[in-house]
């Protein structure tokens, strides 16, 4: 009995000691009971657990949930945004980028607009004078004597071809009746006109893409050195192809202008509203696509060209309407609201489209300054001694803007709308021409100065002195030992042909080496990050850059 009572006393003492330990270390109860899995982490102070926090946690667990307590918790709970500082900073930068897009985009658009205007004014002002100088050189050759291997310089040959194309297409456009086309289009329904206008926009882009290739092929065929082997069908077929293209493109733009004129003169303006809403459909087709920096550059150039072309079409519409109302200035104020709506819809669509494209593709607003510098580089490089193209042709390749068809149509409309009779009228025409020449010269000076500033800011001065490639590098036509005729005498990069050619076949590469070569070539083709100046200007017009 004594032993049993002793053991009971010892067990009671052990229970008291254990209870005291639990009171001193209450967190051990959570570890043993397994409730630590559903309990949040205990706060630590200098490496030790905070006992007061544990007691508050026990009171909250033991307290019964109530609606009042839930409402109090919802009203008093807090959070700290700095716990995810990077995320919110990125969101704020996106907002700032969208706010900067209208300013940066309009800077690019205004610069590109004046570039297109400069190339367009060149057709009416300096091109006739350059053609007269080339003709004067041809007429004075028998008197001055023939020296050199060329009758005319390559630039003069291109100017003569442009002048001939302009004169021939203008004479052919006289046989196209603008009034009959207008009434033919006006007799169609609204839905038909909407479909026709969309088809004309697509056709205009296709014509611009292929038309500049036709003109470049003509210029190169006419100025190619005679000592080289020519792989062409001749200058005359290329010339007739160019005339046929410019004539068809001029008729296409005339149909566009007639459709726009019908929309302006409709009573309920329903067609004009549908045509303006078509611009907003463009947002749906471009905003939700993946765009790289080069893709956005190509789309920006296309937007500049479309905006300038729409302004010229609006000018043609105003001229035709003013002629019908005997040049009454009151009718011009009636057309002004519709013209303002069309212009503002173009600007709004471009801003919204570019803002969301840059947002979805994480492109900064500074990229538009790079685009502006690239366009400025084209202008400055065309003034260099080693220039290989005229500036108007460079603008055509960059933006897809070909001024010849638009110039033919504008001359046709002006000649039919404005009657010139008497000496005073011819004097006014001459003064107007001098004013256009002055505007062209001033515009060129300002653009050249701005372009030099943009090129210097972008650190592109060294690229101005790099010589352009003399010939395209095609693998199938590259010079090799088996074809020594491709190598010129002045070329130092051609391989030596003094070694005897072996009759045996060259050793074939192993399949592993061929596979590695194919992978390397694929990686070269897939490289998306290209310098904007490394993109071929002869293929950018109308093509999507991947």
């Amino acid at each position: 009995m004594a032993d049993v009572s002793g053991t009971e006393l010892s067990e009671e003492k052990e229970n008291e000691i254990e209870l005291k330990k639990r009171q001193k270390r209450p967190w051990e109860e959570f570890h043993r009971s397994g409730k630590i899995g559903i309990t949040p982490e205990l706060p630590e102070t200098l490496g030790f657990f905070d006992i007061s926090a544990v007691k508050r946690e026990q009171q909250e667990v033991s307290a019964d949930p109530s609606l009042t307590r839930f409402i109090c918790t919802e009203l008093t709970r807090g959070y700290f945004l700095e716990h995810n500082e990077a995320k919110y900073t990125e969101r704020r930068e996106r907002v700032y980028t969208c706010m900067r897009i209208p300013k940066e985009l309009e800077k690019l658009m205004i610069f590109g607009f004046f570039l297109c205007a400069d190339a367009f004014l060149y057709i009416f002002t300096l091109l006739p004078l350059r053609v007269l100088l080339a003709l004067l050189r041809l007429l004075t050759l028998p008197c001055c004597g023939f020296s050199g291997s060329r009758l005319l310089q390559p630039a003069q040959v291109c100017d003569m071809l442009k002048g001939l194309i302009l004169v021939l297409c203008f004479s052919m456009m006289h046989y196209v009746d603008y009034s009959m086309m207008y009434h033919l289009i006006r007799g169609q329904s609204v839905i038909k006109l909407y479909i026709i206008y969309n088809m004309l926009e697509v056709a205009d882009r296709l014509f611009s893409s292929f038309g500049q290739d036709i003109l470049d092929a003509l210029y190169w065929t006419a100025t190619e050195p005679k000592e080289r082997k020519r792989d062409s069908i001749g200058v005359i077929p290329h010339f007739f192809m160019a005339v046929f293209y410019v004539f068809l493109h001029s008729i296409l733009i005339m149909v566009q202008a007639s459709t726009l004129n019908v929309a302006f003169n409709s009573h309920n303006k329903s067609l004009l509203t549908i045509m303006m809403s078509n611009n907003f459909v463009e947002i749906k087709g471009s905003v939700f696509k993946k765009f790289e920096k080069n893709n956005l550059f190509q789309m920006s150039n296309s937007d500049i060209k479309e905006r300038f072309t729409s302004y010229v079409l609006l000018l043609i519409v105003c001229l035709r309407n003013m002629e019908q109302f005997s040049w009454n200035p009151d009718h011009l104020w009636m057309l002004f609201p519709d013209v303002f709506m069309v212009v503002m819809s173009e600007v709004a669509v471009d801003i919204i489209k570019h803002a969301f494209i840059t947002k979805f593709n994480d492109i900064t607003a500074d990229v538009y300054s790079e685009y502006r510098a690239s366009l400025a580089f084209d202008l400055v490089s065309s003034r260099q001694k080693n220039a290989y193209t005229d500036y108007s042709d460079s603008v055509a390749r960059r933006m897809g803007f070909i001024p010849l068809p638009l110039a033919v149509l504008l001359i046709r409309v002006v000649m039919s709308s404005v009657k010139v009779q008497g000496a005073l009228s011819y004097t006014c025409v001459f003064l107007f021409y001098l004013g256009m020449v002055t505007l062209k010269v001033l515009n060129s000076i300002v653009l050249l100065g701005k372009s030099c500033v943009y090129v210097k800011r972008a650190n592109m001065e060294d690229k101005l002195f790099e010589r352009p490639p003399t010939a395209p590098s095609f693998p199938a036509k590259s010079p090799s030992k088996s074809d020594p005729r491709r190598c010129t005498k002045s070329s130092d990069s051609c391989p030596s042909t003094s070694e005897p050619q072996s009759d045996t076949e060259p050793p074939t590469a192993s399949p592993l080496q061929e596979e590695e070569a194919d992978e390397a070539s694929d990686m070269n083709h897939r490289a998306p990050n290209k310098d904007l100046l490394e993109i071929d200007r002869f293929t950018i017009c109308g093509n999507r850059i991947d």
Side-chain angles (χ1 to χ4, degrees):
M1 293 294 293
D3 294 336
V4 173
S5 61
T7 54
E8 289 178 356
L9 291 174
S10 61
E11 288 177 0
E12 290 178 358
K13 290 181 180 180
E14 288 177 359
N15 291 333
E16 290 177 358
I17 294 173
E18 187 175 357
L19 182 61
K20 290 180 181 179
K21 288 182 179 180
R22 290 179 182 177
Q23 291 177 356
K24 291 182 180 180
R25 299 177 182 178
W27 56 85
E28 290 184 359
E29 181 66 22
F30 289 94
H31 285 284
R32 292 179 182 178
S33 61
K35 293 182 180 180
I36 193 66
I38 60 173
T39 306
E41 291 185 357
L42 300 177
E44 294 185 16
T45 55
L46 297 178
F48 297 96
F49 289 103
D50 191 358
I51 300 177
S52 61
V54 175
K55 292 181 178 180
R56 289 196 302 270
E57 190 73 21
Q58 289 177 351
Q59 292 176 0
E60 292 177 1
V61 171
S62 60
D64 295 332
S66 61
L67 181 60
T68 305
R69 189 173 188 83
F70 176 77
I71 293 176
C72 292
T73 304
E74 290 294 320
L75 293 177
T76 57
R77 67 184 177 89
Y79 51 88
F80 298 92
L81 299 182
E82 60 263 21
H83 291 168
N84 199 351
E85 182 178 355
K87 175 184 176 182
Y88 291 105
T89 304
E90 181 185 359
R91 297 294 173 87
R92 184 173 62 185
E93 291 299 326
R94 287 184 180 180
V95 174
Y96 292 164
T97 299
C98 289
M99 294 172 63
R100 288 180 58 195
I101 287 298
K103 179 182 177 182
E104 297 297 328
L105 177 63
E106 288 306 313
K107 283 183 180 179
L108 175 65
M109 289 290 176
I110 292 173
F111 184 71
F113 174 83
F114 283 105
L115 292 181
C116 293
D118 189 72
F120 192 60
L121 288 174
Y122 172 81
I123 302 296
F124 302 99
T125 56
L126 299 186
L127 181 62
L129 298 178
R130 289 175 65 93
V131 171
L132 289 177
L133 289 177
L135 289 175
L136 185 63
R137 176 181 171 84
L138 283 177
L139 294 176
T140 56
L141 273 178
C143 302
C144 300
F146 178 73
S147 61
S149 59
R150 295 178 183 269
L151 293 175
L152 295 173
Q153 295 296 323
Q156 292 177 328
V157 174
C158 294
D159 293 333
M160 291 284 292
L161 291 173
K162 290 178 183 177
L164 285 174
I165 292 172
L166 202 64
V167 171
L168 287 176
C169 292
F170 174 70
S171 61
M172 293 167 64
M173 288 292 291
H174 269 290
Y175 296 97
V176 180
D177 192 354
Y178 187 90
S179 300
M180 183 188 69
M181 184 179 296
Y182 171 79
H183 290 290
L184 183 65
I185 294 174
R186 189 172 185 177
Q188 307 299 323
S189 62
V190 176
I191 301 300
K192 282 186 179 179
L193 291 179
Y194 175 70
I195 296 174
I196 289 173
Y197 193 78
N198 288 336
M199 293 173 60
L200 290 175
E201 284 188 346
V202 176
D204 179 56
R205 294 184 181 183
L206 297 178
F207 270 62
S208 299
S209 176
F210 189 61
Q212 189 59 39
D213 294 339
I214 294 176
L215 295 176
D216 287 334
L218 171 64
Y219 301 152
W220 173 240
T221 306
T223 59
E224 190 176 6
K226 296 181 179 180
E227 56 269 11
R228 294 188 181 182
K229 182 181 178 181
R230 298 193 175 191
D231 299 330
S232 63
I233 59 176
V235 179
I236 295 178
H238 278 287
F239 178 75
F240 282 115
M241 288 171 59
V243 171
F244 185 65
Y245 153 70
V246 174
F247 177 66
L248 286 183
H249 201 173
S250 301
I251 292 178
L252 177 68
I253 300 175
M254 178 181 283
V255 176
Q256 275 187 299
S258 301
T259 308
L260 191 61
N261 197 3
V262 170
F264 269 77
N265 294 329
S266 60
H267 297 288
N268 53 3
K269 297 293 188 299
S270 59
L271 179 60
L272 184 62
T273 305
I274 292 174
M275 291 169 62
M276 289 172 56
S277 65
N278 188 35
N279 294 329
F280 291 90
V281 176
E282 185 182 354
I283 298 177
K284 177 183 176 182
S286 58
V287 163
F288 301 105
K289 293 181 180 179
K290 181 176 176 57
F291 274 83
E292 299 291 341
K293 188 169 70 171
N294 295 336
N295 301 109
L296 186 59
F297 181 44
Q298 193 263 349
M299 192 183 71
S300 302
N301 291 331
S302 179
D303 291 338
I304 294 171
K305 176 252 180 183
E306 288 179 2
R307 187 178 292 191
F308 183 82
T309 305
S310 64
Y311 292 165
V312 177
L313 291 178
L314 289 174
L315 175 62
I316 293 173
V317 169
C318 292
L319 287 175
R320 295 298 300 175
N321 280 275
M322 293 296 291
E323 181 201 0
Q324 296 297 325
F325 288 88
S326 302
W327 298 95
N328 186 7
D330 295 334
H331 185 69
L332 182 61
W333 291 108
M334 294 174 61
L335 291 174
F336 181 76
D338 296 333
V339 173
F340 181 76
M341 279 189 352
V342 172
V343 172
M344 291 309 297
S345 67
E346 288 278 347
V347 174
V349 166
D350 290 339
I351 290 176
I352 295 172
K353 180 173 63 176
H354 284 264
F356 281 98
I357 286 176
T358 52
K359 178 184 182 297
F360 293 150
N361 296 277
D362 294 330
I363 300 175
T364 61
D366 297 331
V367 74
Y368 292 100
S369 61
E370 298 179 17
Y371 299 160
R372 194 168 62 241
S374 179
L375 295 177
F377 183 86
D378 291 339
L379 175 60
V380 176
S381 61
S382 65
R383 301 293 197 273
Q384 299 293 319
K385 293 181 179 180
N386 61 345
Y388 57 90
T389 182
D390 185 67
Y391 171 66
S392 59
D393 297 328
S394 178
V395 171
R397 296 185 190 106
R398 278 291 191 197
M399 302 182 184
F401 172 67
I402 304 177
L404 281 178
L406 204 58
V408 169
L409 178 61
L410 187 60
I411 294 173
R412 167 73 173 80
V413 171
V414 171
M415 292 292 289
S416 62
S417 302
V418 181
K419 305 299 180 183
V420 181
Q421 295 177 353
L424 182 61
S425 300
Y426 284 103
T427 304
C428 293
V429 170
F430 180 71
L431 293 177
F432 181 74
Y433 174 75
L434 291 181
M436 289 181 64
V437 172
T438 305
L439 180 62
K440 167 69 174 68
V441 173
L442 290 177
N443 188 33
S444 299
I445 292 173
V446 174
L447 282 178
L448 188 59
K450 288 288 185 180
S451 299
C452 293
V453 173
Y454 295 150
V455 170
K456 185 177 293 185
R457 286 179 184 174
N459 299 323
M460 294 182 178
E461 299 97 328
D462 297 335
K463 296 182 180 181
L464 289 173
F465 304 100
E466 296 179 0
R467 295 185 62 85
T470 56
S473 57
F474 295 108
K477 296 183 179 180
S478 60
S480 61
K481 294 182 181 180
S482 60
D483 192 8
R485 293 174 296 178
R486 297 281 182 181
C487 302
T488 58
K489 294 181 180 180
S490 61
S491 177
D492 298 331
S493 62
C494 293
S496 175
T497 57
S498 60
E499 297 179 2
Q501 295 182 0
S502 176
D503 296 334
T504 61
E505 296 181 356
T508 59
S510 62
L512 182 59
Q513 293 177 351
E514 291 180 356
E515 186 177 353
E516 292 177 353
D518 292 339
E519 290 179 357
S521 62
D522 290 340
M523 292 300 294
N524 291 332
H525 288 298
R526 293 175 186 172
N529 296 326
K530 290 183 180 179
D531 189 3
L532 295 176
L533 298 178
E534 293 177 359
I535 301 171
D536 189 7
R537 300 185 184 94
F538 290 86
T539 58
I540 190 174
C541 173
N543 294 335
R544 183 180 179 88
I545 307 170
D546 295 326

